[in-house]
Amino acid sequence: MPITFTVTATCPRTGARRGRLQTAHGAVETPAFMPVGTQGTVKGITAGELEELGAAIIRGNTYHLYLRPGIEVVARAGGLHRFMGWQGGILTDSGGFQVFSLERLRRVEDRGVTFHSHVDGSTHFLTPERVIRVQNVLGSDIAMVLDQCSPYPSTPEKPREAVERTTRWAWRCLKAHQRRGQAIFGIVQGSVYAALRRRSARDLVSMDFPGYAVGGLSVGEPKETMYRVLEATVPELPADKPRYLMGVGSPDALLKGVRQGIDLFDCVLPTRIARHGRVLTGRGYLTIRNAVYAADMAPLDGACGCPVCRRYSRAYIRHLLNAGEILGARLTTYHNLYFLARLMEETRRAISEGRFEEYYRALEPQFTKIYGGV
Amino acid sequence: MPITFTVTATCPRTGARRGRLQTAHGAVETPAFMPVGTQGTVKGITAGELEELGAAIIRGNTYHLYLRPGIEVVARAGGLHRFMGWQGGILTDSGGFQVFSLERLRRVEDRGVTFHSHVDGSTHFLTPERVIRVQNVLGSDIAMVLDQCSPYPSTPEKPREAVERTTRWAWRCLKAHQRRGQAIFGIVQGSVYAALRRRSARDLVSMDFPGYAVGGLSVGEPKETMYRVLEATVPELPADKPRYLMGVGSPDALLKGVRQGIDLFDCVLPTRIARHGRVLTGRGYLTIRNAVYAADMAPLDGACGCPVCRRYSRAYIRHLLNAGEILGARLTTYHNLYFLARLMEETRRAISEGRFEEYYRALEPQFTKIYGGV
């Protein structure tokens, strides 16, 4: 088996569960947040630092690596792990989301998707088979099927077509997949429509994937809508397989996702906001570039034990960001990833100690207040 | 005494010497290269990494810190060491070089220098006294006098005036200086004119500074001219005081400077070229962005033991730089600083083991060939 997944503890009163996902590159304790390394690097952070802050698996990006440096280069290195010097787990997306969120798309047909490169404008044609072949070469521990995302909002017709195509493509991906040691996950689509989501989930579950993702959420719909969709979808997914909620990374949404039984998350949020000078703290976002921090010698988060908070002040980091020094983004990125890694660690502990519900009740109102609006 | 300097070994056949510079923030084994941290950071590198790669002292920048974040902020942090989380030595320049290399200067009078900020265009007036007061507040281990640099080329008249003013200013700096635990160095000027250089050196030596810098070199003159000036200047400087050659950092020039009796160097070269994708190796510069490295899985320098060369390939680093990923500049910067730190370490060992001349003869022709042209 390329991966094995074991549920090691469940919350008796909510859907939350703790698990262990064993990959060819180590074990991942779940629920886990996967930092995003779009172009073969989590922006500004080394592989050694990811290990240090406790990331066991990261999410790579098939679309970007396919365009640059190109898969021949990654193949020459012996796969993505070796290319980027990272020994932990890697999940690669299929590129579907990128292709569908491009402005200068593209033709979508059953055969595949035609799009123009954001790097050099060249025309590319991706099929489900090709997307899998590319991920086979990248050698990620978990590959994702090519799926069709629907924009929000949309009438039910478009998402219905997208679900049907996603099902057909998932089957082709599964047949094309052939790398030993690599798992492949299906992706549930269906926009905000519960019936479509259930149908999509059932279609995929009948194909018996080793894991399932919930895609096409966090694309502009209200958070309450997202939670409603999760409520309709998660019960359709087998309890003994890992569940991955794509594109979600705000602290409140992580907690709520865990409560519904999600095991894996990924999002550019912590790294992207870091580069713009926003950091995650137990008291909410802190926009460190604000003038109020110009002479503030406190750490980013007084309750945080990360190396950045132990060594540097808000005033120093604000100065770095204002002066355009790349060390600024590096420090805020490290802190934000550390913050989410600790949050997930505490969440796992609460589950295995049988006190997830109290933990959730104590944290959720505060997190929803300070992080729920975004 | 704010600093003590002890010569621990001398080369019997050249001017090279090994020494130990004791500061309030640790001992610096000399000859040493000081990485440049212009805006309170060596670009892209943390204080912890500087320690790890063996930098014992860095060169900070009074002019930039004075303008941003402003000395009140650094004062509030308790000085520059605390502000930037760096526990090793710091030498701050006076800002003179920056002021004189600004395009939108400025009026220079005996009283001081008027210039416009490159940050916001505001007008500033710096006097020798003020430059020292700023450095007192920054709390560097070594402060530099305000000096007047001459452009290259110039007729002897301008440099003569500059030398005379530099002498008057040096005296005012010395009188204004009052921070215990901080040393102050004089700066020899005189452009490429040996007689002027000797005169400047004698003027300063009569004031009995705890150390002396040779400034106004590496400003466009041929390297041979620079070495000629050093030959005329260094013998004028007392043997028991540290000697600092400002703005020099190419491997060939470091070797030649050491041979003439220089103890300290600083230069933006290793960090600046790193950001543009050029790295230092035992075989010369390597422009890592070249297409020829696109699938080259070798490390930057096969003979280098730095963490970057142990973990990452040329192809990966090239990809990062091409994709605009800040990790690229971070890795090349680390490697270049490590390269110079090891070069200086080997140089010190050769001196203390009494084999500097052979070491120099083996390395210098190669280094002059591959690095001498720049």
Side-chain angles (χ1 to χ4, degrees), chain B residues 119-320:
Chain B
V119 176
D120 61 7
S122 56
T123 302
H124 295 261
F125 181 62
L126 275 182
T127 64
E129 290 78 12
R130 195 170 222 163
V131 154
I132 294 300
R133 218 155 32 237
V134 171
Q135 293 180 84
N136 285 169
V137 172
L138 293 177
S140 51
D141 301 284
I142 300 171
M144 302 299 295
V145 298
L146 184 64
D147 57 334
Q148 180 168 346
C149 307
S150 302
Y152 175 85
S154 62
T155 56
E157 290 70 38
K158 289 261 175 198
R160 181 173 303 123
E161 279 175 36
V163 161
E164 287 167 3
R165 179 166 283 143
T166 295
T167 295
R168 289 193 295 274
W169 282 359
W171 181 241
R172 286 166 57 187
C173 285
L174 199 56
K175 283 204 300 180
H177 185 259
Q178 43 176 278
R179 188 181 173 108
R180 292 165 59 96
Q182 182 182 59
I184 178 171
F185 282 15
I187 304 177
V188 177
Q189 289 291 346
S191 185
V192 298
Y193 303 102
L196 279 180
R197 287 278 171 183
R198 278 192 289 268
R199 177 174 157 197
S200 177
R202 286 171 193 167
D203 284 354
L204 295 169
V205 169
S206 73
M207 299 178 206
D208 195 23
F209 280 93
Y212 299 89
V214 184
L217 289 177
S218 200
V219 293
E221 78 285 0
K223 276 184 169 175
E224 284 313 318
T225 304
M226 175 172 84
Y227 300 137
R228 221 173 16 74
V229 169
L230 274 186
E231 264 175 62
T233 309
V234 173
E236 299 294 331
L237 302 175
D240 61 345
K241 300 285 175 67
R243 301 161 183 156
Y244 160 31
L245 177 54
M246 306 180 84
V248 167
S250 71
D252 57 317
L254 292 176
L255 278 187
K256 292 199 173 166
V258 168
R259 189 169 186 277
Q260 300 219 27
I262 297 296
D263 307 297
L264 293 168
F265 302 85
D266 83 294
C267 192
V268 295
L269 177 134
T271 42
R272 179 172 290 165
I273 66 173
R275 294 195 300 283
H276 296 115
R278 289 191 105 191
V279 296
L280 300 164
T281 80
R283 296 180 175 189
Y285 293 113
L286 194 142
T287 303
I288 196 64
R289 297 186 72 148
N290 283 349
V292 66
Y293 302 117
D296 187 339
M297 297 306 154
L300 293 177
D301 183 353
C304 178
C306 84
V308 177
C309 287
R310 288 205 310 269
R311 192 157 192 165
Y312 303 105
S313 65
R314 294 170 174 181
Y316 180 61
I317 293 168
R318 175 179 186 273
H319 162 65
L320 294 177

Side-chain angles (χ1 to χ4, degrees), chain A residues 6-249:
Chain A
T6 319
V7 175
T8 56
T10 53
C11 172
R13 283 178 299 276
T14 73
R17 73 241 196 105
R18 181 166 178 168
R20 180 174 298 119
L21 177 68
Q22 184 68 46
T23 76
H25 293 87
V28 181
E29 294 294 322
T30 63
F33 175 79
M34 302 184 282
V36 175
T38 300
Q39 303 193 105
T41 165
V42 175
K43 289 192 188 303
I45 297 292
T46 62
E49 284 164 344
L50 289 170
E51 289 161 13
E52 176 187 288
L53 65 80
I57 183 166
I58 62 173
R59 200 268 280 162
N61 206 303
T62 300
Y63 167 80
H64 284 83
L65 294 169
Y66 163 80
L67 293 179
R68 184 171 58 193
I71 55 167
E72 322 71 41
V73 171
V74 181
R76 182 82 71 91
L80 184 54
H81 292 83
R82 285 200 177 179
F83 182 60
M84 60 183 290
W86 165 246
Q87 286 148 20
I90 299 179
L91 177 150
T92 42
D93 66 5
S94 63
F97 183 79
Q98 277 68 34
V99 168
F100 287 98
S101 57
L102 277 179
E103 284 172 46
R104 303 168 41 214
L105 203 54
R106 114 230 127 170
R107 202 171 48 202
V108 186
E109 327 155 271
D110 245 30
R111 230 160 42 96
V113 186
T114 308
F115 67 95
H116 302 294
S117 160
H118 75 284
V119 176
D120 61 7
S122 56
T123 302
H124 295 262
F125 181 61
L126 276 183
T127 64
E129 290 78 11
R130 195 170 222 164
V131 154
I132 294 301
R133 218 156 31 237
V134 171
Q135 292 180 86
N136 284 168
V137 172
L138 293 177
S140 50
D141 300 285
I142 300 171
M144 302 300 295
V145 299
L146 185 64
D147 58 332
Q148 180 168 346
C149 306
S150 303
Y152 175 84
S154 61
T155 56
E157 290 71 38
K158 289 260 173 196
R160 180 173 303 122
E161 278 174 39
V163 161
E164 287 167 2
R165 179 165 284 143
T166 294
T167 295
R168 290 193 295 273
W169 281 359
W171 181 241
R172 286 166 58 188
C173 285
L174 199 56
K175 282 203 300 180
H177 185 259
Q178 43 176 278
R179 187 179 173 109
R180 291 165 60 96
Q182 183 183 57
I184 178 171
F185 281 16
I187 304 177
V188 177
Q189 288 292 346
S191 185
V192 298
Y193 302 102
L196 278 181
R197 287 277 171 183
R198 278 192 289 267
R199 178 175 156 196
S200 177
R202 286 171 193 167
D203 284 354
L204 295 170
V205 170
S206 73
M207 299 179 207
D208 195 24
F209 281 91
Y212 299 89
V214 184
L217 289 177
S218 200
V219 293
E221 79 284 3
K223 276 185 169 174
E224 284 312 317
T225 304
M226 175 172 83
Y227 300 136
R228 221 173 18 76
V229 169
L230 274 187
E231 264 175 63
T233 309
V234 173
E236 300 293 331
L237 302 175
D240 61 344
K241 300 284 175 67
R243 303 161 182 155
Y244 160 31
L245 177 54
M246 305 180 85
V248 166

